Amino acid sequence: MIVAAGLTPAWQQILCFDQLTLGEVNRAAQAYWCASGKVLNVAVALKHLGAECRTVCPLGGPARPAIEQELAALGLDVTWIDSQRPTRVCTTLIDRTSGVVSELVENSPPLEPGELATYIDAFREAARGSEIAVLSGSLPALAPPDFYRQLLSGSKLAAVIDARGPELLATLELRPMVVKPNREELARTLGRSLDTDADLVEGMRQLNQAGAVWVVVTAGKRPVWMSSSEKVLRFETPTVAKVENPIGCGDCLAAGIAYGLALGNSPQDAVSLGMAAAAENLAHVLPARLQRDVVFKLAASIEGTSPAAAAGGLS
């Protein structure tokens, strides 16, 4: 069993344009609405992959009935934490001519101290009988920077953490199984640039030394890097015939890694599965609505290789 947690759900509007011109009136060719945000993307991806998953998520405001209805129809097991403030609305703009996708993000509203306490209790209840936890997303205002650490404290969960900055660093002494910042987030977390691959590996190893068992770093279409205290691997990203919407790829990667670990795969093979899930996500307008057979077939073709970094040959 996997438990998915995070404080930043969203009600997502996706507008597709034949051509988008900034500063002009643009009429969408298609419009979609769906439940989204990192925590819900992870949960939806896990459901489509076939994983047993429980989810804990705050929810409130006008979007609540639609989100609850959609996820109930998908068959997700969700514990909703009542929020006094409305769940945010985010908008994706897809320009089909240029292929450019733009994301308009509303910050998640703060949760009251009592709501945060209720969330912790609900997470610990959901985590009973679970082996793996996926904690994803930034923390809204009023949430303490060690909130994820509080969720994991005292548990034996193998944690996959998709976060950055203080909320990520606060978890490292608990030895999370995988931490998954992207390259920019890792640079901001460490407070320095990571311009070369050697810089990147040094930064990843810093997180390993602080407690992360594995560090996985993405950078869009560029290779995915993975490190432990003893090993460095690089994965080439698979070629995708047609990209519909890249939003949610990182969430699908985290979900795929967690599911791979739940299946008993090696961390390396779990990353291959996560990368396949992220690549398959690109083919869909709605985030995390994956085709399981496609993901597993693609995962078999993705393999990490040991680069010159392991011998100190990166530049």
Side-chain angles (χ1 to χ4, degrees), residues 140-204:
L142 303 184
D146 68 344
F147 185 76
Y148 286 153
R149 186 184 184 284
Q150 291 182 44
L151 292 182
L152 296 171
S153 182
S155 78
K156 296 182 179 179
L157 292 165
V160 177
I161 299 176
D162 184 2
R164 64 177 187 271
E167 52 261 56
L168 170 59
L169 295 175
T171 67
L172 296 181
E173 67 180 58
L174 299 179
R175 292 190 57 77
M177 179 60 68
V178 178
V179 300
K180 194 205 74 61
N182 62 38
R183 193 165 184 151
E184 179 185 358
E185 290 170 340
L186 179 58
R188 281 191 284 168
T189 298
L190 298 177
R192 66 175 186 272
S193 62
L194 302 174
D195 296 329
T196 69
D197 290 340
D199 293 335
L200 174 63
V201 171
E202 182 182 354
M204 294 170 68

Side-chain angles (χ1 to χ4, degrees), residues 22-292:
L22 296 181
E24 301 291 341
V25 174
N26 294 269
R27 297 188 183 277
Q30 293 92 28
Y32 306 88
W33 290 91
C34 68
S36 188
K38 297 187 76 65
V39 57
L40 296 184
N41 287 343
V42 168
V44 171
L46 285 167
K47 179 65 177 181
H48 281 78
L49 289 172
E52 291 187 80
C53 176
R54 302 185 183 111
T55 306
V56 184
C57 182
L59 199 64
R64 177 168 185 160
I67 293 175
E68 287 184 321
Q69 181 178 3
E70 181 186 8
L71 297 191
L74 289 174
L76 269 69
D77 179 358
V78 186
T79 299
W80 299 111
I81 306 303
D82 294 333
S83 174
Q84 295 181 22
R85 294 180 173 86
T87 295
R88 63 182 176 154
V89 176
C90 296
T91 302
T92 304
L93 308 178
I94 299 176
D95 184 335
R96 300 220 185 262
T97 298
S98 67
V100 173
V101 177
S102 302
E103 185 77 353
L104 310 179
V105 177
E106 178 185 347
N107 286 331
S108 288
L111 298 176
E112 298 295 331
E115 294 169 352
L116 292 171
T118 299
Y119 190 102
I120 292 173
D121 290 341
F123 174 85
R124 290 176 177 167
E125 180 61 31
R128 294 181 186 275
S130 298
E131 298 82 34
I132 298 171
V134 184
L135 311 183
S136 56
S138 57
L139 297 176
L142 303 184
D146 68 344
F147 185 76
Y148 286 153
R149 186 184 184 284
Q150 291 182 44
L151 292 182
L152 296 171
S153 182
S155 78
K156 296 182 179 179
L157 292 165
V160 177
I161 299 176
D162 184 2
R164 64 177 187 271
E167 52 261 56
L168 170 59
L169 295 175
T171 67
L172 296 181
E173 67 180 58
L174 299 179
R175 292 190 57 77
M177 179 60 68
V178 178
V179 300
K180 194 205 74 61
N182 62 38
R183 193 165 184 151
E184 179 185 358
E185 290 170 340
L186 179 58
R188 281 191 284 168
T189 298
L190 298 177
R192 66 175 186 272
S193 62
L194 302 174
D195 296 329
T196 69
D197 290 340
D199 293 335
L200 174 63
V201 171
E202 182 182 354
M204 294 170 68
R205 281 278 170 76
Q206 186 173 335
L207 296 190
N208 292 132
Q209 291 166 4
V213 178
W214 291 95
V215 179
V216 176
V217 177
T218 60
K221 297 179 181 179
R222 298 166 66 183
V224 172
W225 290 79
M226 178 182 187
S227 74
S228 68
S229 59
E230 300 176 349
K231 184 182 292 187
V232 175
L233 296 171
R234 182 174 61 193
F235 299 74
E236 296 297 329
T237 55
T239 301
V240 177
K242 183 180 179 181
V243 175
E244 288 285 350
N245 185 2
I247 303 303
C249 284
D251 310 323
C252 292
L253 175 62
I257 291 173
Y259 187 40
L261 294 174
L263 292 173
N265 294 349
S266 68
Q268 179 176 343
D269 288 342
V271 169
S272 295
L273 185 62
M275 290 180 63
E280 216 284 301
N281 181 69
L282 290 167
H284 303 281
V285 174
L286 302 186
R289 277 66 176 175
L290 305 174
Q291 295 184 56
R292 186 181 190 275

